[in-house]
């Protein structure tokens, strides 16, 4: 008969493909694997024999054919196994037996009637004695004091639905008299059913989230592919455009060279003709000089008539030179072409940027209730708070906004560029349609965009004799020449007047002049909630010109005033 050392503790049979674990005990390979497979869901692994605990599943080591020699080698590789009883004592994280005296053993069961926990030794009476027949044993639980009514020191057996709390039998006499009460088992059964519904709902949400995550992953892959294709198409298109411009440059160079060559050839022909004519005239001039000195009267008379007749009969053509001939028109045409190309490309880029920025890739949908309340109250999508005004140029660009001049408000002598980003005052009126929003007497124009509830930054280039940059409420007067119409001269608007001699900040009756300062590009920072409107010079560095303090009561519109032969351009950031 085999000894116990040669038998597996789990199957009680002779060891088959024996393996050992760090505590030194050996088992059949298949028995140990099956035993620990059932413990995978807990993450805690016990030695079946000595109950030593491992937080990570150990890797068993295969034993040799000689059981005793293997155990001897194991004893050298691993520390000797501790005595079995030591692992049955309660540790800091364990529930201890309430009956043990001295060092308490681990509890294996808790009695809800006794409100005590028992080890495997002291729980036996509950199984063997009829006295404890009606007692309810459960797996060991801690904090049994929570099972006792703090007022009556009785076990909690009922649930008061009125006060939503567990109570004892004595609580029904006074404190909870007349309340809706059920047994703890009944309340548990009802809540268990609701818990099942909740679990089903959670599982459905998990399924939905997994589906959304899969859709999002597919959308991300499609986005990457789309962006890559767009990048390649963009690169190809711009390469074609660059080659087209290079071909245009070559054609223009050929045109200039051809015209130059033709003009030079024509001029060289005239120079050669004039050279021959001058030489002939000099020859005859010499003959006349020689004739005037002869003393032979007959020779003089005969030769004189021949020379004079030849001179009078000859009609030399006049060569006229165009003093205004130059290739200046070509240069001007190229410059205008460049300007139109820049304006067109910028306008198209703004259109593309607006189109792309309007597209939302993914977002979190709010609940129906929240959406309905937002719609009813017309609340903003975000809470507006004042911002810390930037100090460095890069920080301003975080608040950059795209602006467009509103043709409906433009004075008729103001000419707008194709993309409505540049305004220039000229002498010939534009054929704008009639609009009540149009300034009828002052060279002013507003932007389409209404700014409110946040921070905004934009830059403006100005040129010419003078211009004004500012913001205004929509209610500024549009007819007449009065201060009610002029930006910066009333309560509804704020402006910075720009000239070669300096700047002037204006609002209502207040005016602050800054002489001796010049900058062709002005940066404007609006903190609507914080109530500030700041103007900066923009160059290699940014310098504050003036800051208005105001409590904006409604949305404001960027606005401009333009003098004759002057222009303002909204810079694309």
């Amino acid at each position: 008969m085999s000894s116990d050392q040669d038998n597996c503790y789990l199957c009680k049979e002779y060891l088959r493909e024996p393996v050992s674990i760090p505590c030194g005990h050996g088992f059949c390979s298949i028995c140990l694997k099956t035993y620990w497979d059932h413990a995978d869901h807990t993450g805690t692994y016990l030695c079946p024999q000595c109950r030593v605990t491992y937080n990570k599943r150990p890797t068993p080591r295969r034993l040799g054919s000689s059981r005793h020699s293997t155990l001897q080698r194991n004893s050298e590789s691993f520390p000797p196994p501790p005595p079995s009883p030591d692992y049955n004592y309660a540790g800091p994280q364990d529930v201890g037996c309430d009956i043990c005296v001295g060092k308490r053993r681990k509890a294996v069961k808790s009695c809800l009637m006794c409100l005590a926990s028992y080890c495997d030794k002291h729980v036996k009476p509950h199984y063997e004695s009829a006295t404890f027949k009606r007692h309810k044993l459960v797996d060991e639980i801690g904090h049994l004091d929570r099972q006792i009514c703090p007022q009556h020191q009785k076990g909690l057996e009922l649930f008061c639905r009125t006060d939503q709390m567990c109570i004892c039998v004595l609580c029904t006499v006074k404190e909870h008299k007349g309340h809706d009460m059920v047994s703890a088992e009944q309340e548990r059964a009802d809540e268990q059913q609701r818990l099942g519904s909740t679990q089903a709902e959670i599982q459905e949400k998990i399924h939905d989230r997994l589906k959304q995550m899969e859709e999002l992953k597919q959308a991300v892959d499609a986005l990457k592919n789309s962006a890559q294709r767009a990048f390649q198409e963009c690169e190809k298109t711009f390469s074609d455009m660059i080659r087209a411009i290079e071909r245009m440059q070559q054609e223009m160079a050929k045109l200039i060279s051809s015209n130059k060559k033709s003009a030079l050839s024509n001029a060289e022909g005239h120079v050669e003709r004039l050279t021959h004519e001058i030489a002939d005239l000099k020859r005859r001039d010499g003959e006349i000089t020689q004739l005037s000195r002869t003393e032979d009267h007959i020779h003089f008379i005969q030769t004189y008539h021949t020379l004079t007749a030849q001179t009078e009969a000859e009609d030399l053509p006049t060569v006229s030179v165009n003093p205004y001939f130059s290739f200046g028109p070509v240069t001007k045409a190229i410059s205008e072409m460049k300007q139109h190309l820049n304006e067109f490309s910028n306008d198209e880029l703004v259109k593309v940027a607006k189109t792309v920025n309007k597209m939302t890739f993914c977002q979190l949908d709010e609940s129906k209730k929240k959406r309905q309340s937002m719609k009813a109250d017309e609340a903003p999508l975000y809470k507006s708070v004042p911002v810390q005004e930037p100090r460095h140029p890069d920080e301003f660009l975080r608040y950059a906004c795209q602006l467009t001049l509103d043709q409906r408000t433009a004075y008729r002598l103001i000419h707008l560029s194709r993309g409505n980003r540049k305004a220039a005052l000229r002498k010939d009126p534009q054929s704008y349609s009639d609009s009540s929003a149009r300034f009828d007497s002052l060279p002013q124009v507003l932007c389409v965009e209404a700014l409110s509830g946040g921070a905004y930054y934009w830059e403006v280039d100005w040129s010419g004799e003078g211009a004004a940059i500012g913001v205004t409420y929509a209610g500024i007067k549009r007819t007449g020449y009065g201060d009610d119409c002029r930006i910066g001269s009333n309560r509804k608007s704020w402006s910075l007047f720009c000239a070669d001699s300096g700047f002037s900040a204006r609002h209502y009756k207040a005016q602050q002049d800054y002489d001796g300062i010049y900058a062709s590009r002005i940066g404007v920072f609006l903190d609507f909630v914080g109530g500030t409107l700041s103007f900066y010079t923009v160059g290699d560095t940014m310098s504050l010109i003036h800051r208005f303090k105001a409590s904006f009561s409604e949305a404001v519109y960027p606005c401009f005033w333009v003098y004759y032969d002057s222009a303002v351009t909204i810079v694309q950031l």
Side-chain angles (χ1 to χ4, degrees):
M1 186 173 180
S2 302
S3 64
D4 291 339
Q5 291 183 351
D6 293 331
N7 292 340
C8 174
Y9 181 82
L10 293 171
C11 66
K12 307 301 181 182
E13 295 182 2
Y14 188 80
L15 288 167
R16 293 165 296 179
E17 297 183 0
V19 294
S20 67
I21 56 177
C23 62
H25 293 113
F27 309 92
C28 297
S29 174
I30 186 64
C31 293
L32 182 64
K33 180 180 183 302
T34 304
Y35 180 81
W36 273 350
D37 284 347
H38 289 290
D40 278 342
H41 70 283
T42 65
T44 302
Y45 303 91
L46 302 176
C47 172
Q49 187 170 348
C50 68
R51 311 297 292 176
V52 66
T53 303
Y54 303 103
N55 292 328
K56 184 178 179 182
R57 182 168 178 167
T59 302
R61 295 191 178 185
R62 187 174 300 277
L63 295 174
S65 57
S66 174
R67 169 66 178 167
H68 296 287
S69 61
T70 303
L71 290 178
Q72 184 178 1
R73 288 196 300 271
N74 271 347
S75 64
E76 296 174 358
S77 303
F78 302 105
S84 299
D86 289 348
Y87 290 96
N88 289 326
Y89 287 113
Q93 304 298 327
D94 300 319
V95 178
C97 176
D98 294 322
I99 307 301
C100 290
V101 179
K103 193 172 183 180
R104 298 192 301 171
R105 294 163 61 91
K106 289 182 182 179
V108 294
K109 292 291 181 180
S110 295
C111 178
L112 297 182
M113 294 291 290
C114 301
L115 295 178
S117 298
Y118 303 99
C119 63
D120 53 357
K121 176 181 178 182
H122 293 113
V123 77
K124 289 182 179 180
H126 277 74
Y127 293 115
E128 299 171 353
S129 174
T131 306
F132 303 103
K133 184 177 181 180
R134 295 186 179 182
H135 287 208
K136 185 175 182 179
L137 291 175
V138 296
D139 291 338
E140 74 280 4
I141 56 175
H143 305 290
L144 285 173
D145 55 325
R146 297 179 183 175
Q147 306 284 331
I148 301 175
C149 175
Q151 184 174 358
H152 302 107
Q153 301 301 312
K154 295 290 184 180
L156 299 175
E157 302 176 5
L158 304 174
F159 182 79
C160 177
R161 289 179 172 175
T162 304
D163 295 329
Q164 290 292 301
M165 61 183 297
C166 294
I167 60 175
C168 69
V169 176
L170 295 180
C171 291
T172 64
V173 178
K174 185 177 180 181
E175 291 83 355
H176 298 270
K177 184 178 180 180
H179 290 187
D180 181 13
M181 294 173 287
V182 295
S183 65
E185 289 80 3
Q186 179 63 41
E187 182 64 21
R188 161 67 186 272
D190 294 344
E191 291 188 352
Q192 185 77 33
Q193 185 176 2
R194 289 193 292 270
L195 185 64
S197 301
T198 302
Q199 185 177 17
E201 183 179 352
I202 291 176
Q203 291 174 351
E204 183 179 358
K205 289 181 178 181
I206 292 174
H207 179 268
D208 291 341
R209 289 296 185 271
L210 290 172
K211 181 179 178 181
Q212 292 174 17
M213 185 170 66
E214 183 62 28
E215 291 176 352
L216 183 59
K217 288 180 179 179
Q218 294 177 1
V220 167
D221 293 337
L223 173 68
K224 291 179 179 179
N225 295 332
S226 176
Q228 182 64 23
R229 289 194 300 270
F231 178 80
Q232 293 173 350
E233 289 294 330
C234 180
E235 190 175 39
K236 180 180 180 299
T237 301
F238 276 99
S239 298
D240 293 341
M241 291 171 61
I242 291 172
R243 286 193 293 269
I245 293 175
E246 289 175 348
R247 286 195 299 270
M248 190 183 301
Q249 179 187 13
Q250 294 172 0
E251 292 296 329
M252 194 60 65
K254 289 180 181 179
L255 178 64
I256 295 174
S257 177
S258 175
N259 279 271
K260 172 186 172 183
K261 184 177 180 181
S262 176
L264 291 179
S265 177
N266 190 19
E268 289 173 357
H270 289 306
V271 169
E272 184 177 358
R273 178 188 179 89
L274 290 173
T275 301
H276 290 304
E277 291 176 352
I278 291 172
D280 186 58
L281 290 174
K282 286 183 177 181
R283 178 184 56 77
R284 279 186 280 170
D285 180 64
E287 292 178 353
I288 292 174
T289 301
Q290 184 178 1
L291 181 62
S292 64
R293 296 175 181 175
T294 183
E295 296 179 356
D296 188 345
H297 303 304
I298 300 301
H299 174 71
F300 177 86
I301 293 171
Q302 292 175 345
T303 306
Y304 169 78
H305 287 291
T306 303
L307 290 175
T308 55
Q310 183 180 0
T311 301
E312 292 173 356
E314 187 177 24
D315 186 13
L316 296 178
T318 302
V319 178
S320 60
V321 179
N322 181 9
Y324 301 104
F325 180 85
S326 71
F327 286 97
V330 177
T331 305
K332 182 179 180 182
I334 296 299
S335 178
E336 291 178 353
M337 185 187 300
K338 174 187 175 183
Q339 183 177 358
H340 292 324
L341 182 61
N342 286 338
E343 291 180 358
F344 177 77
S345 60
N346 289 337
D347 295 341
E348 292 301 314
L349 187 59
V350 169
K351 290 180 182 178
V352 172
K354 286 184 177 180
T355 302
V356 174
N357 291 336
K358 285 180 181 178
M359 296 189 300
T360 302
F361 177 63
C362 61
Q363 62 182 2
L364 290 175
D365 293 333
E366 299 185 21
S367 64
K368 294 181 179 179
K369 181 178 180 180
K370 187 173 181 180
R371 288 201 299 268
Q372 291 173 354
S373 63
M374 292 284 284
K375 183 177 181 181
D377 300 335
E378 294 184 356
L381 295 178
Y382 56 89
K383 182 178 180 181
S384 300
V385 295
V387 300
Q388 183 71 30
E389 186 159 330
R391 296 183 179 181
H392 303 289
D394 292 342
E395 296 178 356
F396 282 96
L397 296 179
R398 293 189 304 171
Y399 304 98
C401 61
Q402 300 294 336
L403 301 178
T404 308
L405 297 172
D406 189 354
Q407 188 186 86
R408 298 176 301 114
T409 66
Y411 180 55
R412 291 189 181 278
L413 295 183
I414 288 182
H415 291 232
L416 301 182
S417 65
R418 185 178 300 175
N420 291 344
R421 291 179 50 253
K422 180 179 180 180
L425 186 64
R426 299 176 183 172
K427 296 181 180 180
D428 52 320
Q430 292 289 311
S431 57
Y432 294 140
S433 60
D434 294 334
S435 172
S436 59
R438 191 177 309 285
F439 291 98
D440 67 350
S441 303
L442 291 176
Q444 298 181 155
V445 60
L446 305 186
C447 284
V448 175
E449 293 75 14
L451 308 182
S452 65
Y456 307 89
Y457 177 75
W458 64 96
E459 293 181 359
V460 179
D461 284 336
W462 72 275
S463 60
E465 296 296 326
I469 305 166
V471 299
T472 181
Y473 293 143
I476 189 172
K477 189 177 179 182
R478 312 298 174 97
T479 59
Y481 294 91
D483 288 344
D484 290 343
C485 308
R486 195 180 305 272
I487 62 173
S489 300
N490 47 68
R491 295 180 184 271
K492 297 181 179 180
S493 60
W494 297 257
S495 74
L496 179 74
F497 179 78
C498 309
D500 291 341
S501 57
F503 301 102
S504 178
R506 303 172 182 178
H507 172 63
Y508 191 35
K509 296 180 180 180
Q511 178 173 326
Q512 178 68 48
D513 295 328
Y514 298 91
D515 297 330
I517 304 176
Y518 175 79
S520 61
R521 178 168 293 188
I522 304 299
V524 187
F525 180 76
L526 169 66
D527 181 2
F528 188 91
V529 179
T532 61
L533 176 67
S534 306
F535 295 89
Y536 293 84
T537 61
V538 179
D540 295 336
T541 59
M542 294 183 64
S543 300
L544 177 66
I545 303 173
H546 184 81
R547 179 181 291 114
F548 288 106
K549 294 285 187 179
S551 297
F552 301 111
S553 58
E554 60 181 276
V556 296
Y557 294 80
C559 56
F560 305 94
W561 175 89
V562 189
Y563 194 64
Y564 281 107
D565 295 327
S566 301
V568 293
T569 303
I570 301 173
V571 180
Q572 180 183 349
L573 299 177

